[in-house]
Amino acid sequence: MRELMARLTAAKAAARRLAILSDEARRDVLLRLAAALRTRTPELLEANAADVSEMPEGDPRRDRLALSEARVEAIAAATESVAALPDLLWEELEARTMPSGISIRRVRVPLGVVGCIYEARPNVTVDVAALCLRTGNVAVLKGGKEAARTNAALGALLADVLRAAGLPEATVTLLPPTHEAAEALMAAEGLVDALIPRGSARLIEAVRRQARVPVIETGAGVCHVYVHEDADLALAARVIDNAKTRRVSVCNALDCVLVHRALQARVPELLAPCRAKGVHFHEAPEDWGHEWLSMNLSVRVVDSLDAALDHIARYGSGHSEAIVTESPEAAERFRREVDAACVYVNTPTSFTDGGEFGLGAEVGISTQKLHARGPMGLAALTTYKWLIESRGALRP
Amino acid sequence: MRELMARLTAAKAAARRLAILSDEARRDVLLRLAAALRTRTPELLEANAADVSEMPEGDPRRDRLALSEARVEAIAAATESVAALPDLLWEELEARTMPSGISIRRVRVPLGVVGCIYEARPNVTVDVAALCLRTGNVAVLKGGKEAARTNAALGALLADVLRAAGLPEATVTLLPPTHEAAEALMAAEGLVDALIPRGSARLIEAVRRQARVPVIETGAGVCHVYVHEDADLALAARVIDNAKTRRVSVCNALDCVLVHRALQARVPELLAPCRAKGVHFHEAPEDWGHEWLSMNLSVRVVDSLDAALDHIARYGSGHSEAIVTESPEAAERFRREVDAACVYVNTPTSFTDGGEFGLGAEVGISTQKLHARGPMGLAALTTYKWLIESRGALRP
C-alpha cells in the first residue's frame, strides 16, 4: 500500500508539470505515442497473445481483449486524431471588472490527476492516456488482470515515450491489476481529482459505493421510444428498429417501446422490422426497467402521453429517451418533462455518442448530473480557476 | 427510515413539477415567502427564543442560532433579491446541426433534488430553499438539533406558502434534525441529485466520507499570501492586513504569509498593521498548513518563487492564494502554476465571495474541481440536457 501511495503522490506532483505544458508539447507527445504504437506493434501483439491464451475459448471478454495489427493501427490513428483536436486550456470562460476595482477572469484548466478503473479492453489504456495528455492531465490507470501483460507492454512503451519527450514517467501511471491498487485509487483523497470507472455495471456500482474521491459515473441506459397517437408509423418503425438493432450491446440501445393505446392494433406494424431481424418481445411488467443489451425488447401500451412520461420517470435511467410524434406540443412536453441526459424527437436513441454529437473525442457517457451529463468530450476533463487582479484593492 | 424514504420519494416526484414551472411562478413563490417571513416574524422569534434558551450562555453557536427582527428582515430581503435574479433555465448553451441530419441543442435545466445538511444557522433553511426555488429545484433540508423549533416554525411557514402557491409541500422538505435523517439523505441514491454540506469541517468531512449520492463540497481554506522580492511593501502590508483581519473566522481568511528571503529584514514592516490589531505570529513548521480561523498567522521566509510555489502545493488547500509582486512574469507563473480555485495578484484573498465576484447569489464556495470551483452562483444548482431532433434520421 505504501508503494501505491508513493506512486499516486508522484502522479500528483507530475500534475503541476503537465498543467503548464504548452499545447505544442502536449500534441508532440501524442504523436510520439502514435509512432511508438506502430513501430512496436510486434511486442504488443506478443504480450497480448499471452494474455489471450490464458482466457478460456468462448469467453465473451476474449474479443474485447484481443489485439491485432489492425486494432493497434486503429489505436494509433485515434491517438493522432486526439492530438489534432483543438486545445481547450486557458480558454477565458468569463471576465469582468467589479465596482470594488478587482478584475476577474475565469479560465479553463486541467482537472489534475484523472484516475480510471477498467476491465479487459487494452485500448482503454491508450485512449484514456491520450485524452488526459491532450487536456494537460495526469492519468492513473488500473486495468484488468486479464490484460496484465498487454498493459505492462503498453506501460513500458508509454514510459519510453514520456522519457523521450522529457516528461515524468508518472505522467501516465499504470497501477498493477490488483484489488489493492483499485482500493488505493478509490481512497486517494487529495491525490485524485476525478475517477472514471469504465466497464460493467458491477464495476461502476462498486466504484460509486466505495470511492472517497470524486467519481464521474458512466454506464447503464434503460432507453425508451414512445410512439404518440399521431406518429408517422413508418418513421416510428424505422426509429425503433435503428434504436434496437443497430448494436444491441451498447448503453444507448432501446429497451422498451411505449405505444399509445390508439395505435394498439398497429403494434405488429411498428415492430415488423425488429421482428424480421429476430428481436424477441416482452410484455410482462416485471421486464419494465430492464436493460436488455440483447435482441430483446419490452413493449407496453399506454393510455396517454402522461402515462408514457410517468413510465419513463419511474423506469428510465435518465440516459436516452425518444418520442415519435407529429405534434409540436407533445414533442415540447416530452423535451421539457423527461429528465434524461438525451431527449430525442423522431430520432433513435442510437445517436447518443460523442462523435455523433460533434464532440471530437468521447471520454464516456455520463449518467450523472453534476459536472457532465450525457456524452462527454474533452471539456469534461477540465475545470476552471478564477484569476483576480487589482492594484491593492481592499475588501471593506 | 421508511417514513424518511417516503418523504425523499415525494421530493423526487415534486421535482418533475418544479422543473417545468414558469419563471414567473418561481419568482412569485419567493415573493410570497418574503412576505410571510415579515408578517409571521413574531412566531419565528418565539420558536427561536425557545431554541436559544436551551443553548448554554457563552456557546459560540448561540449567535449563529439567534434571530432578531432585523435578522428576519434581512432573510426576507435576501429572498426578494434571489427572486430578482435573472432566470437561468432553458438557456441554450450550444446548438448545431450534424452531417447525419440531426440537430442538437444543449439547454440548462435544474439539477432536480438538492439536499443540504447544515448546523445551527436557521437562515440557511430559507437561503437554500430560495436558491433552489429560483432554479426550479426541490430542496431537502436537514438542519441541526439546536435549531429544531426555529426550523419547525420555518417549515410550517414554507408549507403554507407552497400550498398557497399551488405547489406540492415536498417542494421544500424539512427533515427531522436526527442522525437517521442525515443517513437517509446521504444514502438516497437515485433520489438526491446533489448534496451540499454547510457548516464545520467535521460535518463536511463526515458527509464526504459517508455519502453515496453526489456531493458538492464546501469548506476549508488554508490561504497564503506570497510577497515576492520586488513587491511594493506598503501594498503588501495592506493586502496581508485585509486578508487576515477583515474577518478571521471565514474560509478565505489568511493563514500563512510567505516572504522572499530578500525581504527578510522588512518582515516587521509587512506585518505591522496586523500586529497593531493584535495578530499573533507563528514561525514553527508544525503550523504550516493550519487553518487558523482566529487572530493567528503563520510566517515563513522562502528562498524563491519556486519555494513559495512548492510550499503552496504542499500546504495549501486549493482555496485562495495570492502573490504580491511588481513582476508580470512572476505574476503569470503564480497564476498558471498555483492549483487553487482563486488565484490573486496584488489583491487580498478576502475577495473570495459570490457577491464580490458578481455572481448575484452565493450557493457556497466549492473546494472541489468537478462541477463547480470556488464561489458558486445559481448556475451551480443547474445541469443540462441534450435535445436531439430530426425527421427520422438513422445512425448507420
Side-chain angles (χ1 to χ4, degrees):
Chain A
M1 196 53 120
R2 176 178 283 187
E3 145 85 13
L4 289 165
M5 292 314 288
R7 297 194 66 192
L8 292 168
T9 305
K12 181 78 184 169
R16 283 178 68 189
R17 182 77 187 285
L18 261 283
I20 54 169
L21 215 58
S22 70
D23 180 28
E24 196 187 344
R26 283 180 271 123
R27 273 186 283 120
D28 171 65
V29 64
L30 289 175
L31 298 180
R32 285 172 188 265
L33 174 55
L37 287 166
R38 290 195 176 103
T39 56
R40 291 167 68 168
T41 302
E43 73 187 76
L44 296 176
L45 294 184
E46 193 183 339
N48 184 249
D51 281 334
V52 171
S53 72
E54 290 195 359
M55 193 171 267
E57 302 258 357
D59 189 315
R61 293 172 301 170
R62 216 175 148 114
D63 177 57
R64 281 174 231 153
L65 172 60
L67 291 178
S68 62
E69 273 197 40
R71 281 195 177 179
V72 175
E73 169 53 33
I75 296 170
T79 302
E80 286 171 337
S81 67
V82 169
L85 290 172
D87 186 24
L88 297 179
L89 300 186
W90 305 103
E91 181 192 352
E92 194 172 286
L93 301 168
E94 58 187 297
R96 57 181 157 265
T97 300
M98 298 300 296
S100 62
I102 62 173
S103 76
I104 298 181
R105 285 184 296 149
R106 189 161 67 89
V107 299
R108 196 188 287 282
V109 296
L111 281 173
V113 177
V114 175
C116 187
I117 298 182
Y118 52 107
E119 294 170 328
R121 293 181 194 272
N123 62 303
V124 173
T125 306
V126 180
D127 189 21
V128 174
L131 296 165
C132 286
L133 283 165
R134 188 72 195 98
T135 45
N137 287 292
V138 160
V140 181
L141 308 170
K142 209 296 280 173
K145 265 195 313 293
E146 313 76 18
R149 293 191 192 82
T150 314
N151 280 333
L154 285 169
L157 184 154
L158 276 158
D160 289 344
V161 166
L162 292 166
R163 204 177 305 113
L167 291 176
E169 272 188 43
T171 298
V172 180
T173 296
L174 267 80
L175 297 179
T178 61
H179 194 61
E180 201 187 15
E183 303 255 301
L185 197 48
M186 291 190 282
E189 293 173 71
L191 297 177
V192 172
D193 296 294
L195 178 58
I196 307 176
R198 276 178 70 161
S200 67
R202 226 177 86 195
L203 168 77
I204 293 163
E205 170 70 8
V207 171
R208 180 158 57 97
R209 297 209 158 212
Q210 280 186 58
R212 297 213 306 254
V213 298
V215 170
I216 304 180
E217 265 184 73
T218 62
V222 177
C223 305
H224 300 80
V225 169
Y226 165 59
V227 184
H228 195 47
E229 54 185 330
D230 64 0
D232 175 328
L233 291 190
L235 190 154
R238 287 199 306 273
V239 163
I240 292 167
D241 177 36
N242 192 248
K244 178 70 240 178
T245 68
R246 185 188 162 273
R247 262 181 86 186
V248 295
S249 64
V250 293
C251 58
N252 63 31
L254 181 61
D255 297 293
C256 181
V257 174
L258 302 169
V259 182
H260 191 283
R261 190 164 299 282
L263 299 175
Q264 188 155 22
R266 317 289 294 272
V267 170
E269 196 177 322
L270 285 169
L271 302 180
C274 283
R275 186 180 313 256
K277 290 183 186 157
V279 172
H280 300 280
F281 304 106
H282 301 263
E283 290 177 54
E286 52 269 33
D287 292 323
W288 297 339
H290 187 71
E291 186 179 21
W292 290 105
L293 301 171
S294 59
M295 289 291 268
N296 289 281
L297 182 61
S298 302
V299 181
R300 183 183 184 186
V301 172
V302 293
D303 288 333
S304 61
L305 171 57
D306 281 294
L309 291 168
D310 288 345
H311 180 103
I312 290 170
R314 175 142 181 212
Y315 296 104
S317 66
H319 190 294
S320 300
E321 306 290 356
I323 186 173
V324 181
T325 182
E326 297 294 301
S327 151
E329 295 73 28
E332 183 63 9
R333 276 201 64 198
F334 196 84
R335 274 193 295 259
R336 293 215 159 226
E337 299 188 32
V338 169
D339 183 22
C342 305
V343 183
Y344 289 88
V345 175
N346 295 330
T347 306
T349 55
S350 38
F351 279 102
T352 298
D353 171 86
E356 295 296 330
F357 279 22
L359 299 181
E362 181 179 286
V363 173
I365 296 177
S366 163
T367 50
Q368 61 185 36
K369 293 185 185 178
L370 289 188
H371 190 64
R373 195 179 195 194
M376 296 185 282
L378 286 180
L381 296 180
T382 68
T383 180
Y384 54 80
K385 59 184 172 188
W386 300 88
L387 302 177
I388 306 96
E389 197 146 0
S390 75
R391 186 74 210 154
L394 302 180
R395 186 171 174 195
Chain B
M1 197 51 122
R2 175 178 284 186
E3 145 85 14
L4 288 166
M5 292 315 287
R7 297 194 67 192
L8 292 168
T9 304
K12 181 77 183 168
R16 282 178 68 189
R17 182 76 187 285
L18 262 282
I20 55 168
L21 217 57
S22 70
D23 180 28
E24 195 186 344
R26 282 180 271 122
R27 274 186 282 120
D28 171 65
V29 65
L30 289 176
L31 298 180
R32 284 171 189 266
L33 173 55
L37 287 165
R38 290 195 176 103
T39 56
R40 291 168 67 169
T41 301
E43 72 187 78
L44 296 176
L45 294 184
E46 193 183 337
N48 185 249
D51 281 334
V52 171
S53 72
E54 289 195 0
M55 193 170 267
E57 301 258 356
D59 188 314
R61 293 173 302 170
R62 215 176 149 112
D63 177 59
R64 281 174 232 155
L65 173 60
L67 292 177
S68 63
E69 272 196 41
R71 281 195 176 180
V72 176
E73 170 52 35
I75 296 170
T79 303
E80 286 172 337
S81 67
V82 170
L85 290 172
D87 185 25
L88 296 179
L89 300 186
W90 305 102
E91 181 192 352
E92 194 172 287
L93 301 168
E94 58 187 298
R96 59 181 157 266
T97 300
M98 297 300 296
S100 62
I102 62 173
S103 77
I104 298 181
R105 286 184 295 150
R106 190 162 67 89
V107 299
R108 197 188 285 284
V109 296
L111 281 173
V113 177
V114 174
C116 187
I117 297 181
Y118 52 107
E119 294 169 329
R121 292 180 195 273
N123 62 304
V124 174
T125 306
V126 180
D127 189 22
V128 174
L131 296 166
C132 285
L133 283 165
R134 187 73 194 98
T135 43
N137 286 293
V138 160
V140 180
L141 308 170
K142 209 296 281 174
K145 264 196 314 292
E146 313 76 19
R149 293 190 192 84
T150 314
N151 280 333
L154 285 169
L157 184 154
L158 276 158
D160 289 344
V161 166
L162 292 166
R163 204 176 307 113
L167 291 176
E169 273 188 41
T171 298
V172 181
T173 296
L174 268 81
L175 298 179
T178 62
H179 195 62
E180 202 188 15
E183 304 254 301
L185 198 47
M186 290 190 283
E189 293 172 73
L191 298 176
V192 171
D193 296 294
L195 179 57
I196 307 177
R198 277 177 69 160
S200 67
R202 225 176 87 196
L203 169 77
I204 292 163
E205 171 70 8
V207 171
R208 181 158 56 96
R209 297 208 158 214
Q210 280 187 58
R212 297 212 307 253
V213 298
V215 169
I216 303 180
E217 266 185 72
T218 62
V222 178
C223 305
H224 300 80
V225 169
Y226 164 60
V227 185
H228 195 47
E229 55 185 328
D230 64 0
D232 174 328
L233 291 190
L235 190 154
R238 288 199 306 273
V239 163
I240 292 167
D241 177 36
N242 191 248
K244 178 71 239 178
T245 69
R246 183 186 165 274
R247 262 181 86 186
V248 294
S249 64
V250 293
C251 58
N252 62 31
L254 181 61
D255 297 294
C256 181
V257 175
L258 302 170
V259 182
H260 191 282
R261 189 165 298 283
L263 299 175
Q264 187 156 21
R266 316 290 293 273
V267 170
E269 197 176 322
L270 285 170
L271 302 180
C274 282
R275 186 181 313 262
K277 290 183 184 157
V279 172
H280 301 280
F281 303 106
H282 301 264
E283 290 177 55
E286 53 270 33
D287 292 323
W288 297 339
H290 186 72
E291 186 178 20
W292 290 105
L293 301 170
S294 60
M295 289 292 267
N296 289 281
L297 182 60
S298 302
V299 182
R300 183 182 184 186
V301 173
V302 293
D303 287 333
S304 61
L305 172 57
D306 281 295
L309 292 168
D310 288 345
H311 179 105
I312 290 169
R314 175 143 181 211
Y315 297 104
S317 66
H319 191 291
S320 300
E321 306 290 355
I323 185 173
V324 181
T325 182
E326 296 295 301
S327 151
E329 294 73 28
E332 183 61 9
R333 276 202 63 198
F334 195 85
R335 274 193 294 259
R336 292 212 160 228
E337 298 188 33
V338 170
D339 183 22
C342 305
V343 183
Y344 288 87
V345 175
N346 294 330
T347 307
T349 55
S350 39
F351 279 103
T352 298
D353 171 86
E356 295 295 331
F357 278 23
L359 299 181
E362 181 179 284
V363 173
I365 297 176
S366 163
T367 49
Q368 62 185 36
K369 294 185 184 176
L370 288 189
H371 190 64
R373 195 178 194 194
M376 296 185 282
L378 287 180
L381 296 180
T382 67
T383 179
Y384 53 80
K385 59 184 171 189
W386 299 89
L387 302 177
I388 306 95
E389 197 146 358
S390 76
R391 187 72 210 156
L394 302 181
R395 185 170 174 197

